[in-house]
């Protein structure tokens, strides 16, 4: 089941989906019998809220993530030159007690850093296997039941 939520505003979704290619890809994802369970970091689609909380605690224990000063979970990554940046968990969506979506924000919202972070994320191997759609506010990747939206300052994984 593919669900739309989070930082992508309804008007933006309608506009980007009306472009034919992305609309067909998302429709196919909604009907896909193939299931990608790997989400971001320690998370898997379909895990319960209890499993989600356990995975979060384990990532913090293993120093793959940390709680920031206001209690949000931050995943620390590094640019090729060694500079750190954070991707902050903003929302986890559950449907029938199963994880179905994740929203993240980048540590900084200024255009230069956000675009560098987006470029860094898009280098991940998983995106090489996904169909890419350029939008005015970012990029959407689709494969099987998975949709990943990257825009300036945010990232959403939707199952």
């Amino acid at each position: 089941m593919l669900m739309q939520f989070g930082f992508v505003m309804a008007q933006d979704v309608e506009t980007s989906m009306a472009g034919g290619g992305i609309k067909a890809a998302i429709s196919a994802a909604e009907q896909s019998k193939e299931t990608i369970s790997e989400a971001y970091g320690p998370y898997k689609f379909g895990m319960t809220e209890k499993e989600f909380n356990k995975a979060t605690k384990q990532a913090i224990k293993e120093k793959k993530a940390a709680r920031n000063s206001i209690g949000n979970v931050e995943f620390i990554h590094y640019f090729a030159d060694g500079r750190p940046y954070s991707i902050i968990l903003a929302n986890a969506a559950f449907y029938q007690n199963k994880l179905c979506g994740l929203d993240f924000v980048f540590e900084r919202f200024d255009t230069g850093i956000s675009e560098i972070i987006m470029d860094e994320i898009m280098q991940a191997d998983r995106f090489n296997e996904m169909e890419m759609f350029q939008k005015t506010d970012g990029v959407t990747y689709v494969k099987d039941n998975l949709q990943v939206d990257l825009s300036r300052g945010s990232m959403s994984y939707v199952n």
Side-chain angles (χ1 to χ4, degrees):
M1 172 185 298
L2 183 71
M3 299 177 67
Q4 195 70 35
F5 74 103
F7 294 102
V8 183
M9 295 182 190
Q11 183 178 0
D12 293 338
V13 172
E14 289 174 22
T15 303
S16 62
M17 289 174 62
I22 192 169
K23 183 177 181 181
I26 291 172
S27 178
E30 290 171 345
Q31 305 303 318
S32 178
K33 301 220 185 293
E34 295 295 319
T35 302
I36 297 173
S37 63
E38 298 294 320
Y40 177 85
Y43 306 119
K44 295 183 186 312
F45 291 118
M47 66 185 349
T48 65
E49 196 164 350
K50 183 176 180 178
E51 292 168 330
F52 175 86
N53 290 333
K54 184 177 179 180
T56 300
K57 288 177 185 174
Q58 187 65 32
I60 292 169
K61 182 179 178 182
E62 294 173 0
K63 306 227 184 283
K64 295 177 181 174
R67 291 227 180 250
N68 64 19
S69 61
I70 58 172
N72 293 331
V73 177
E74 289 189 30
F75 291 87
I76 312 303
H77 298 278
Y78 296 89
F79 291 115
D81 66 7
R83 290 179 299 148
Y85 66 94
S86 297
I87 296 177
I88 302 164
L89 178 62
N91 183 49
F94 293 86
Y95 178 75
Q96 296 181 346
N97 195 36
K98 302 287 184 191
L99 181 66
C100 63
L102 294 165
D103 282 331
F104 298 89
V105 293
F106 305 148
E107 67 176 319
R108 294 177 55 185
F109 289 98
D110 58 29
T111 304
I113 293 296
S114 290
E115 288 177 3
I116 292 169
I117 292 171
M118 281 178 55
D119 287 344
E120 192 81 13
I121 291 168
M122 291 186 313
Q123 300 306 313
D125 289 341
R126 96 174 302 161
F127 295 112
N128 293 333
E129 301 172 2
M130 299 179 81
E131 194 171 357
M132 182 181 98
F133 299 91
Q134 190 73 42
K135 301 183 309 186
T136 56
D137 64 343
V139 179
T140 294
Y141 290 92
V142 179
K143 181 178 181 191
D144 299 328
N145 65 312
L146 178 63
Q147 175 184 341
V148 180
D149 293 305
L150 290 169
S151 64
R152 189 177 327 133
S154 68
M155 174 173 68
S156 295
Y157 277 70
V158 183
N159 181 349

